[in-house]
Structures are given as C-alpha cells and as structure tokens.
Amino acid sequence: MESATWGQKVARRLSTSLSGSYDPHYKMSKSENSEPEEEPKKTAKSVSAEFADMTSMMGVNYIHHSRRLWAKGFWLFIVLGGCGAMIFHLYYLCSVFFAFPKQTKIVLGFDSLRFPAVTVCNINPIRGSKLAESGPLMQTLMQNTNTTNLIRFFNETDLGNGNPAATQPGSTQAQSGSTPGTGSTLASGPGSTQASRTRSTQASRTRSTQASRPQSSPPPGSSTGKRRRKRYLDDFTVNVTNSYLNISDSLRDDYNDDWERASPRTTESRIEHEFEDLYSKIPRGKRIQIGHQLKDFMVKSSFSGRTIKSNNYIVHPSMTYGNCFTLQYPDFVSRKSGPVDGVEMVLFLENYEYLRGWTNGNGAHLVVHDRSTVPLVEQDGVAISGGTETFIGLKRVNIERLHTPYGLCDDGTEFRSRFNITYTRQACQDYCLVRFIVDSCGCYDGRQGEINMIFRISDVRDCKTQTEIQCVIKIEKDFEFGRLSSQCTCYSPCVESLFEKSISSRQWPSVEYGKVLVEAICARSDAEHCRKLREYDGFRLSQNFIKLNIFYEDLNYENITEEADYAEAQFLSDIGGTLGLWIGLSVISIFEIGQFFVEIMGVCFARCGASTDSRRTNPRVRSETSTSKPRYPDYQTRSDYARSQNGDYRASYGH
C-alpha cells in the first residue's frame, strides 16, 4: 500500500479532530513531516565563529577554540601584537616608497658621436680703426683709459696734484694731439701716428732724466715732497655717466649684502660697467660692423680634413667680447677620435686693432656647448692665449633626470616650441629676468640686447628715464636675491649633454711659419696692414695667431641616468612579505577578511530593518486605561477562546 501523502495525512488529522477523536499527543514522523525547515538567522556571533573556523589567518582559530580564559587572552595578545607590528612595518614601507627615492646609474658607451657647437670670440670688442663710429662718449672712455694715461697716472708723484688732469674726459686727446678713430689710442700698436710716437719718446726721456737727478731730502715734519704709495688704480677716476651703476650703488642698503655695504666698487668695475652701458646703446648692426669680422678673423677652418664654409657660422654679438661666431652643423659626426677627426681653426687676432688699456691681452675666448643652445660666453668658456696651438679634448656626458614624482625637471618642449632653442636652466633664468623687467617697467634693459632678441622682446622700447632705470635695477636685485623665485621657477633639463674638456697648448707658430701666415693674410688684406705685419718681429707676429684643435679624446661617453630606487614591484613584494611575516596573511586571506566584514554589515543592516518592520506591524501596547477593543471577542479569556475553537481536548483523555 502506497504511503499517504503529506496532504492526506493533514486531512485525516483534521477529520479526526473534527469528529472528537483528536489525539493531542500525536506527532508526525520525520518521514511524514517533509516540509523544509527555515534556516537559522545569522548573528554577529555566528558570523564571527564561522570566520574563526574557516580563515587562513594565523592565531584567530586558537582564540575561538581555546577552552581556558588565559589561553584565549594569550592568543589574543599575540594576534593584536602581530597586527600592531604589521601596521608599523607597513607605515615604514609606505613612508619610504612615497618619498620616491632615486639612485644614479653611470653607464659607459661607445659609438659615433655628434660634434657639439663651438663659439669663438676675439677678446677685443671694437676695432681701433672703427672707434670713431662708436660715438663720442665711447671714444672719450677709451682715451681716458688707454695705456698712456695709465702710465702717466702711476708716474705722478706730487700729492698736491692728485689725479692727473689727463684723466678728465677729453684731456687725453688734447694732450696727445691724436684724432679719434685713427687708432692713436693704441700706444703700442702700429696704428699710432709718427708724431705721437715722437712725443711719447721725448716725454719718456724727460721723465728718465728727472728721475736720475739727485733729490734733496724734505725738511722734517714737512708733508711736501713725500711720495705716496698708491694702490692699483684706486685713485684713478673716470667720469662715469652710467645711470645703472649710480642707481645700483644707491640701492645697496635695501638688500642684505654686508660686503657691498662695507667695500666700495673698484675702478675697473666702474669702467667695465660704463663700457657695457655705452656699448649697449650702439645699434646691433653697428656693433657687428665695428667689431672683428669673420673673413678677417677666421684664416682657416675645417672638420675632419674638409673645409668649413663661412655660411656655417652664425654671428652672436656679446656685450663683453663683441662679435662671437658659432659653428654648428647637423652633419658633423665624429667616427674616430683624435685631432684628425675634429675641428681645426686658425685665427688671426688683428691685435694692432686692439684698444690698449681696455683690452690688455692677446687671445680669444672659446665656448663648447650643445647644439641649439644659447652660448653663454660671459659665464662659460676658456681663454685661449695668442701665439699658441691649443688642443681641446672633449668627453661627452649625457644626463637623464627623472620627472615628477621622483624629481623636478623640464623636458623643454614648450621652451623649444616658443623660441626654437634648446632649453637650459640659464636660458630659462635669462628669460624670466627679461620678462619681469618688461612686465614691471614697461620697457626692456638695453644691456640685454641679444637676450631680448633671442626671446623676441621687440614690442617695447629701451629703458631710458631715471624711473625706468631704477625699476630695472630693483627687479634685477630682487631676482638676484631670490625674491622673485616663486613667480618663475627654472628646473634642470630632463635631458642634457655636457662636455668635459682637457686642454693643452704649445707655442705656435714658428718664425718661419709666421711669415707664411703673413703672406696668406696679405693675399686678402690691404697693403697698409700687410706692411705693418711684415715689420713685426717673430714674437710680436706670433701673438696675432691662434691655432685650435677641438676633438673627442675617444668615442666613449658617459650616460648618467636617474632611476627609481624603490620600484613598485619591490614595494608590493615587501607588503606581501610584511603581511605574511606578522599575521600570516596572503592575498586570499585579505579577501576572507573582506567577506567577514561584508557579512557583519549585512547582519547589522538586517537587524536594523527587522526592528523597523516590527514597529510598523506591531505598535506598542497602550496602557491599562486604554479603551480599545480586546484581542479576543466577547471579553473571553484566551483559554476559553481556545476551547471554543478546538473543543474540550480534556474529554479525549477521559476527564
């Protein structure tokens, strides 16, 4: 007989109850009661117990299963101590990583190398034969500072006379009888007139005769006749018209520079600033015209044994050296080391055109720099002496810097797109200073003429009034003392190439080869210059020439690269090792902890929701004085109401 279904059993029980034969002790068997049971509700305690049984985190299961209280406390202390040590260790790792440390790696390489740009200048800014074209103030300054005046100044012995009258503007010209612009200020050069040389010889003989006569001793206590020992040019005065210099000295008390306040400016410094101011007022085209020309200056130039044409040079006027010439050509690549595969130059200095007194030597100035960068001839470079053959061996050093967050550098992309030159830190600072002056003063500093041209500052005029000059000096001082650094920050370039130099030289040319060079000069020069050169002796002639050999010592180069000292992969590895070391965690364990917290939050939300529903469905029972209708009808008790519904269940037991 087939077993009754669950519905049939319930119907039979109901019928039995209705017939009065209900057995209250009857229970369904488990096989009969096949209705699925409801799952028990989760609580925070049950979730925690389940997590303690199943987690792979070390120590938690010991806390849950330990039977003694001291054992639970011991394992709880171990787990909490491990968590504290883990947090401290993780804090240390994060502080190291987020400091973004970096290390420098040096790698040596060997390859064919691009040849750098070379800028060479004659140290004499204005040719003596063109001095008349520089203006009357420049002529006066050169006449007051020529060697004749300086010698007369040192030979002056009378204390009462003080500074000789020849040091006043225009006095040199009046006393010597020379004409400006004819080269007469060059006391030792061939441009001096015969009359000037004769008068100088007579004056020298007169001074030597007076010096040979016996001098009588002055009476005791007398101040006349005492010879005063003078320091070098300290008492030599020049009429300085430079407003920049005078205003700069008047503002020195506004800045915290004890040395400027304690020590006066030297005479040489005042003369240099005066020359710079007067030279900057000459138009750029005129400055190039009165300086030394490439066709006269460059006798020969070649790269790797092949002639370099003059159109490969770019003129770069300097406020200190006059015309400078930059050689840079994209196809210059050195595939061999040594002078044979480098640049060779033969320079003719024209030292008979030098402004003696202002230019006190014979030679050139050389700067080796990366291509497309601004040659900083005033801040960088080496001096080359006349009458020498100089070997300059180069070694290339490439520097690569890390950008944010490991460091601060500028890739130079925006700078190059705006000005078409390679970014350098000095170029950025020069631009900032020029921009500050234009924005604050409404004009530009004429002494920065070439920088203004490079950065295309042409929409304003030159600063001329006292107010504008004072504004310029104040901006320059603020920039020098770092008061404007927050408004314009110049970082080092992210990629940069430097050139280490080793220099050696020897006497050049020989007397015989000097004559060969003279004939080469005469073939393209006028007869007057040729005649003067042929009259020179061997030493004096050699001082007019320089030979330069610029080359790579070898094709090895250095790559100095910044790298992250603590990479992301190492940081993650250290975090995993820290978690496993102190509390035995792994990546899977972290997900277990995450699931535990999710379940705890679910229990909390479920409890909050259940309490809210119970308030809505079962409002709070009112007090006994309430007049609401009772739950059971006809005011019967609950037991009476149950009997009326189910019958007298005691009758089934024979009561």
Side-chain angles (χ1 to χ4, degrees):
M1 180 177 180
E2 296 181 358
S3 60
T5 64
W6 182 82
Q8 293 173 349
K9 293 177 181 179
V10 172
R12 187 185 305 130
R13 183 174 181 181
L14 290 175
S15 61
T16 304
S17 174
L18 293 175
S19 62
S21 61
Y22 171 69
D23 185 4
H25 296 283
Y26 174 78
K27 294 182 179 181
M28 290 184 180
S29 62
K30 292 183 178 180
S31 60
E32 294 175 346
N33 187 14
S34 59
E35 184 179 2
E37 298 181 357
E38 294 182 1
E39 295 183 0
K41 294 182 178 180
K42 289 186 177 182
T43 63
K45 183 177 181 181
S46 63
V47 171
S48 301
E50 184 179 0
F51 172 74
D53 289 335
M54 300 180 63
T55 184
S56 59
M57 181 178 176
M58 299 298 179
V60 177
N61 54 350
Y62 285 93
I63 298 174
H64 177 64
H65 291 289
S66 295
R67 296 182 179 180
R68 299 186 181 277
L69 184 61
W70 65 267
K72 290 180 179 290
F74 173 77
W75 282 107
L76 179 63
F77 174 78
I78 294 297
V79 172
L80 293 180
C83 291
M86 177 196 68
I87 293 173
F88 177 78
H89 199 165
L90 290 177
Y91 172 78
Y92 170 75
L93 293 178
C94 291
S95 63
V96 173
F97 176 76
F98 289 107
F100 299 107
K102 56 187 177 183
Q103 61 179 350
T104 302
K105 183 175 68 173
I106 300 178
V107 178
L108 299 179
F110 182 87
D111 199 358
S112 299
L113 300 177
R114 295 187 313 158
F115 204 81
V118 177
T119 299
V120 61
C121 319
N122 197 321
I123 63 173
N124 184 66
I126 302 175
R127 289 180 289 170
S129 59
K130 299 292 183 178
L131 182 60
E133 301 180 24
S134 62
L137 293 178
M138 180 65 77
Q139 294 180 65
T140 301
L141 178 65
M142 294 297 101
Q143 291 163 6
N144 291 342
T145 57
N146 65 16
T147 53
T148 304
N149 254 346
L150 297 178
I151 293 173
R152 184 181 298 111
F153 168 74
F154 281 110
N155 287 336
E156 182 63 40
T157 58
D158 190 357
L159 286 174
N161 292 339
N163 198 33
T167 60
Q168 298 304 321
S171 59
T172 302
Q173 180 180 350
Q175 293 185 15
S176 62
S178 59
T179 303
T182 61
S184 60
T185 58
L186 311 179
S188 60
S192 302
T193 62
Q194 184 65 29
S196 298
R197 287 198 296 267
T198 302
R199 283 191 291 270
S200 299
T201 305
Q202 293 174 354
S204 301
R205 291 176 180 175
T206 303
R207 286 194 297 269
S208 61
T209 304
Q210 293 175 352
S212 61
R213 295 176 182 176
Q215 302 292 332
S216 59
S217 301
S222 175
S223 61
T224 59
K226 287 186 178 179
R227 185 179 183 86
R228 180 175 62 176
R229 184 179 300 275
K230 300 177 181 178
R231 294 183 180 179
Y232 179 67
L233 294 182
D234 281 356
D235 298 330
F236 187 83
T237 59
V238 176
N239 184 20
V240 175
T241 62
N242 187 353
S243 300
Y244 287 92
L245 186 62
N246 297 329
I247 295 176
S248 177
D249 290 341
S250 66
L251 295 177
R252 61 185 177 184
D253 293 334
D254 298 340
Y255 298 88
N256 188 21
D257 193 328
D258 296 335
W259 178 246
E260 284 192 0
R261 291 194 295 265
S263 180
R265 190 181 296 273
T266 63
T267 303
E268 296 95 317
S269 176
R270 299 179 68 86
I271 295 174
E272 289 171 1
H273 283 80
E274 177 74 2
F275 175 84
E276 181 180 332
D277 180 55
L278 296 177
Y279 189 69
S280 65
K281 294 177 180 178
I282 303 173
R284 184 178 185 271
K286 180 64 70 174
R287 291 202 305 267
I288 295 176
Q289 182 180 351
I290 64 178
H292 293 269
Q293 303 301 303
L294 179 64
K295 61 182 181 63
D296 302 321
F297 184 50
M298 193 70 60
V299 178
K300 171 191 174 184
S301 64
S302 63
F303 176 78
S304 188
R306 298 182 180 274
T307 302
I308 300 174
K309 298 180 180 180
S310 59
N311 58 4
N312 296 131
Y313 288 90
I314 302 173
V315 62
H316 180 83
S318 166
M319 290 297 171
T320 303
Y321 302 107
N323 291 341
C324 297
F325 306 98
T326 300
L327 171 65
Q328 58 179 3
Y329 191 67
D331 294 337
F332 284 174
V333 178
S334 291
R335 296 179 176 84
K336 295 183 295 183
S337 59
V340 177
D341 208 46
V343 169
E344 179 182 321
M345 297 180 181
V346 176
L347 308 179
F348 178 44
L349 301 179
E350 298 180 287
N351 59 19
Y352 52 81
E353 293 275 14
Y354 278 20
L355 302 177
R356 296 302 179 183
W358 169 254
T359 304
N360 299 315
N362 301 303
H365 189 79
L366 177 73
V367 180
V368 179
H369 53 99
D370 200 10
R371 294 180 183 177
S372 301
T373 59
V374 179
L376 306 175
V377 295
E378 282 83 6
Q379 295 91 358
D380 193 12
V382 294
I384 309 298
S385 176
T388 60
E389 180 180 13
T390 303
F391 296 86
I392 302 176
L394 303 178
K395 184 177 182 181
R396 192 181 188 96
V397 179
N398 300 321
I399 301 176
E400 296 182 12
R401 299 179 177 91
L402 287 176
H403 51 75
T404 306
Y406 293 96
L408 298 174
C409 67
D410 196 318
D411 60 2
T413 304
E414 180 182 359
F415 195 83
R416 187 174 185 86
S417 63
R418 293 182 62 183
F419 307 115
N420 197 29
I421 58 175
T422 301
Y423 174 87
T424 62
R425 189 169 187 173
Q426 184 62 46
C428 174
Q429 291 176 344
D430 291 341
Y431 171 72
C432 287
L433 179 57
V434 169
R435 196 73 257 175
F436 282 141
I437 292 174
V438 172
D439 294 341
S440 301
C441 307
C443 55
Y444 66 85
D445 184 3
R447 300 171 301 169
Q448 302 289 340
E450 200 63 22
I451 298 297
N452 296 329
M453 180 179 176
I454 292 174
F455 296 123
R456 303 168 187 174
I457 307 297
S458 59
D459 54 343
V460 293
R461 58 179 179 80
D462 188 6
C463 297
K464 295 180 179 180
T465 66
Q466 291 290 326
T467 303
E468 292 172 344
I469 293 175
Q470 186 172 1
C471 175
V472 170
I473 295 298
K474 192 176 185 308
I475 292 296
E476 290 179 348
K477 286 288 186 180
D478 289 343
F479 189 81
E480 179 182 350
F481 282 83
R483 298 181 181 180
L484 302 176
S485 58
S486 60
Q487 303 180 32
C488 183
T489 304
C490 294
Y491 301 118
S492 298
C494 294
V495 179
E496 184 179 17
S497 294
L498 304 177
F499 300 92
E500 297 179 353
K501 296 177 281 290
S502 60
I503 304 174
S504 61
S505 62
R506 64 185 178 188
Q507 191 277 332
W508 187 90
S510 63
V511 176
E512 292 76 10
Y513 193 71
K515 296 179 181 179
V516 174
L517 293 174
V518 168
E519 296 305 320
I521 297 297
C522 291
R524 60 181 186 180
S525 181
D526 56 77
E528 180 64 20
H529 286 178
C530 184
R531 182 187 61 81
K532 296 172 183 177
L533 289 174
R534 286 171 176 168
E535 292 177 356
Y536 284 171
D537 57 19
F539 174 77
R540 193 174 181 184
L541 182 64
S542 67
Q543 294 297 304
N544 273 279
F545 296 98
I546 290 176
K547 184 176 181 181
L548 293 175
N549 295 282
I550 309 167
F551 56 91
Y552 281 111
E553 288 184 316
D554 50 51
L555 298 183
N556 293 329
Y557 60 89
E558 286 186 5
N559 279 339
I560 301 178
T561 307
E562 290 182 349
E563 294 182 346
D565 192 29
Y566 199 15
E568 290 84 353
Q570 183 64 38
F571 177 60
L572 295 176
S573 177
D574 290 345
I575 289 178
T578 301
L579 297 177
L581 172 66
W582 294 109
I583 56 177
L585 284 181
S586 62
V587 176
I588 297 178
S589 302
I590 294 175
F591 284 102
E592 293 175 358
I593 296 175
Q595 180 181 352
F596 168 70
F597 282 109
V598 169
E599 291 181 356
I600 289 292
M601 293 174 63
V603 170
C604 295
F605 290 148
R607 180 172 296 180
C608 293
S611 61
T612 303
D613 293 340
S614 63
R615 291 192 191 99
R616 292 177 179 176
T617 57
N618 299 321
R620 184 175 297 176
V621 180
R622 297 183 180 182
S623 61
E624 295 179 357
T625 59
S626 175
T627 58
S628 61
K629 187 176 180 180
R631 181 178 179 183
Y632 304 103
D634 301 331
Y635 298 96
Q636 295 177 340
T637 62
R638 184 175 182 180
S639 59
D640 294 338
Y641 179 76
R643 291 192 192 98
S644 65
Q645 295 293 325
N646 298 327
D648 190 2
Y649 62 88
R650 288 180 295 179
S652 61
Y653 288 91
H655 294 285

